[in-house]
Amino acid sequence: MSATPTALKPATANPAASTSRIGNLLNDGWITTRRNLIKIKRVPDILVFTLLQPIMFVLLFSYVYAGVIDIPGSSYTEFIMAGIFAQTVVFGSTYSGSAMAQDLKDGIIDRFRTLPMNQASVLIGRTTGDLLINTISMAVMMTTGFIVGWRVRSSFLEAAAAVVLLLLFAYAFSWVMAFIGMSVRSPEVINNVSFLVLFPLTFISNAFVPSDTLPTPLRIFAEYNPVSALVQAARTLFGNVPPGTPVADVWTQQHPVLTVLIGIVVLLAVFIPLSVRKFRTVSSR
């Protein structure tokens, strides 16, 4: 009798193995996050100066420029706080870039390469550490803002949504800065690169003055600037949009929350794979 051939079954993915890989990635990511937080604990100057900067900006703009810039229907303090929030969290994301560049220079990445860990966890730990620092910074800024007269004019849920939106945008942008940090040749260069990228994004926007007061070329740039959308979204959710203030007739300003959410998804979808690929390249040199 001839043997009946056994039917070949297509190979299927092992759900347990996939779950295990995700679990290992998250565990490794948490370990590297703790490493970054412990580093801040040992060098508290990093956190101190990170928190002093937003306090300085709140006091500077509230007391120095409040009497010069007039916002019809609102106080300049309430108008400016969303801009300070956006500027601070965006600048706070640059720490990922400078820290990655410093780790490359110090040879820390070479040590990570020898360990049985997921390479992406190094980047997850770095960007998550920045997210936690930005969260503390947001709490400090909001407290300082309340002291100088800023108030939330919306509901608790809307205000919480504004904070989450700001932090998510900063987290997505930290992946951009991590990629740049691995692309430059020294930690000193990342500061100059960050300044060239972030200075026009934050200052040529509606963060500090209404965009319709800017010259036409700068106004057009500000209206399509992603930071302007972030600021407008934060103002809307905090209830700090001055009554009667015209909103630019462009889609990004008419739908700022949706614009920011789309921007977050795009940044993460593009720069997470790019950063992981870049990390594998630089760690294999």
Side-chain angles (χ1 to χ4, degrees):
M1 297 177 62
S2 60
T4 303
T6 303
L8 296 177
K9 296 182 179 180
T12 57
N14 188 344
S18 300
T19 304
S20 177
R21 284 194 295 269
I22 295 174
N24 290 336
L25 174 62
L26 295 177
N27 182 63
D28 293 343
W30 170 240
I31 292 173
T32 54
T33 301
R34 287 183 56 195
R35 174 249 177 189
N36 297 326
L37 296 179
I38 291 173
K39 182 179 179 180
I40 294 175
K41 180 181 178 181
R42 293 175 179 173
V43 189
D45 297 359
I46 298 174
L47 185 60
V48 170
F49 286 102
T50 300
L51 297 181
L52 283 178
Q53 179 181 337
I55 295 175
M56 181 183 68
F57 271 111
V58 172
L59 297 178
L60 175 68
F61 282 98
S62 296
Y63 290 112
V64 177
Y65 296 109
V68 180
I69 302 176
D70 180 47
I71 303 296
S74 179
S75 69
Y76 186 64
T77 298
E78 290 200 359
F79 177 83
I80 197 65
M81 284 305 299
I84 295 176
F85 291 152
Q87 182 198 50
T88 302
V89 297
V90 169
F91 271 95
S93 66
T94 62
Y95 186 61
S96 286
S98 59
M100 288 301 299
Q102 188 64 48
D103 284 347
L104 283 170
K105 181 180 178 181
D106 295 339
I108 303 298
I109 301 301
D110 293 332
R111 298 180 186 178
F112 285 144
R113 187 163 56 90
T114 63
L115 298 176
M117 60 188 297
N118 193 305
Q119 293 181 342
S121 64
V122 177
L123 295 167
I124 292 175
R126 174 57 60 197
T127 53
T128 304
D130 275 6
L131 178 62
L132 295 176
I133 294 174
N134 271 326
T135 301
I136 298 173
S137 182
M138 276 292 302
V140 171
M141 281 189 295
M142 294 181 74
T143 302
T144 309
F146 273 106
I147 293 174
V148 300
W150 171 69
R151 295 294 182 268
V152 174
R153 306 295 181 183
S154 60
S155 66
F156 173 80
L157 291 178
E158 288 174 314
V163 174
V164 171
L165 197 68
L166 287 161
L167 294 176
L168 283 177
F169 186 87
Y171 178 73
F173 208 83
S174 66
W175 283 93
V176 179
M177 300 312 300
F179 176 77
I180 295 175
M182 292 183 291
S183 302
V184 299
R185 294 184 177 274
S186 68
E188 292 77 13
V189 177
I190 188 65
N191 294 323
N192 296 328
V193 174
S194 301
F195 181 81
L196 291 175
V197 172
L198 298 181
F199 186 84
L201 285 177
T202 54
F203 284 94
I204 308 177
S205 68
N206 62 356
F208 305 109
V209 294
S211 59
D212 60 346
T213 63
L214 298 173
T216 301
L218 298 183
R219 177 181 57 79
I220 294 173
F221 178 85
E223 289 173 350
Y224 290 94
N225 184 346
V227 173
S228 291
L230 179 64
V231 173
Q232 186 66 25
R235 282 199 186 111
T236 301
L237 292 172
F238 282 128
N240 294 147
V241 178
T245 301
V247 178
D249 190 22
V250 295
W251 195 89
T252 55
Q253 291 297 298
Q254 294 290 333
H255 307 86
V257 175
L258 184 57
T259 299
V260 174
L261 290 174
I262 293 173
I264 291 170
V265 172
V266 171
L267 288 177
L268 291 176
V270 172
F271 282 95
I272 286 180
L274 284 178
S275 298
V276 172
R277 189 178 308 162
K278 188 68 177 179
F279 182 82
R280 289 172 179 169
T281 301
V282 297
S283 62
S284 61
R285 291 175 183 172

